[in-house]
């Protein structure tokens, strides 16, 4: 997935945290795997989505303290909700916005290469700032980098 204005930066995981990073044909195999996700039916709602790591099957993107990270499903209702995002029309134009199922009005958003859930209700200069929320929370689905 990429976002407006950052079409060469892809959603990836590293050290259990979600980031955006430049990925291209010359990138390492590990980076390409880290930047590839399997879109699954939502763990908490099958009409929504959960993102499973390709190179660490069983690890899903989830939010905890607003930061997006990967974690193994612990079987709890909270985990399933934290790892479920509902697709909405892009709030910044063409694309898709992923809204947290358990924190309505909060969206997957990148800020300074890190990925959070944010509503845009925070102070300027923070990940939850309203500036550029619409662009930073609108994603384009891209072809996978790794099988």
């Amino acid at each position: 997935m990429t976002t407006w204005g950052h079409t060469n930066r892809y959603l990836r995981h590293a050290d259990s945290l979600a980031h955006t990073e430049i990925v291209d044909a010359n990138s390492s195999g590990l980076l390409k795997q880290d930047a590839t996700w399997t879109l699954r039916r939502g763990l908490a709602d099958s009409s929504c989505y959960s993102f499973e790591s390709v190179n660490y099957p069983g690890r899903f993107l989830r939010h905890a303290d607003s930061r997006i990270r990967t974690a193994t499903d612990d079987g709890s209702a909270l985990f399933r909700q934290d790892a479920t995002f509902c697709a909405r029309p892009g709030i910044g134009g063409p694309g898709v916005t992923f809204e947290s199922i358990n924190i309505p009005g909060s969206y997957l958003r990148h800020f300074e290469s890190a990925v959070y859930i944010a509503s845009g209700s925070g102070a300027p200069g923070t990940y939850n700032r309203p500036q550029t929320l619409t662009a930073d929370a609108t994603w384009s689905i891209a072809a996978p980098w790794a099988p």
Side-chain angles (χ1 to χ4, degrees), residues 66 105-109 116-121 127-129 133 137:
S66 299
S106 290
Y107 310 100
L108 276 182
R109 185 231 184 116
Y116 300 88
I117 59 162
S119 63
S121 62
Y127 75 88
N128 203 17
R129 67 189 186 156
L133 174 69

Side-chain angles (χ1 to χ4, degrees), residues 11-14 29-37 53 55-56 146:
L11 177 64
R12 65 88 51 109
H13 63 86
L30 177 61
L31 176 55
K32 289 177 181 177
Q33 289 179 350
D34 286 351
T36 303
W37 304 92
S53 170
N55 55 340
Y56 292 95

Side-chain angles (χ1 to χ4, degrees), residues 8 10 22-29 31-32 145:
N8 63 344
Y10 292 81
I22 294 172
V23 183
D24 61 28
N26 296 319
S27 296
S28 72
L31 176 55
K32 289 177 181 177
W145 283 104

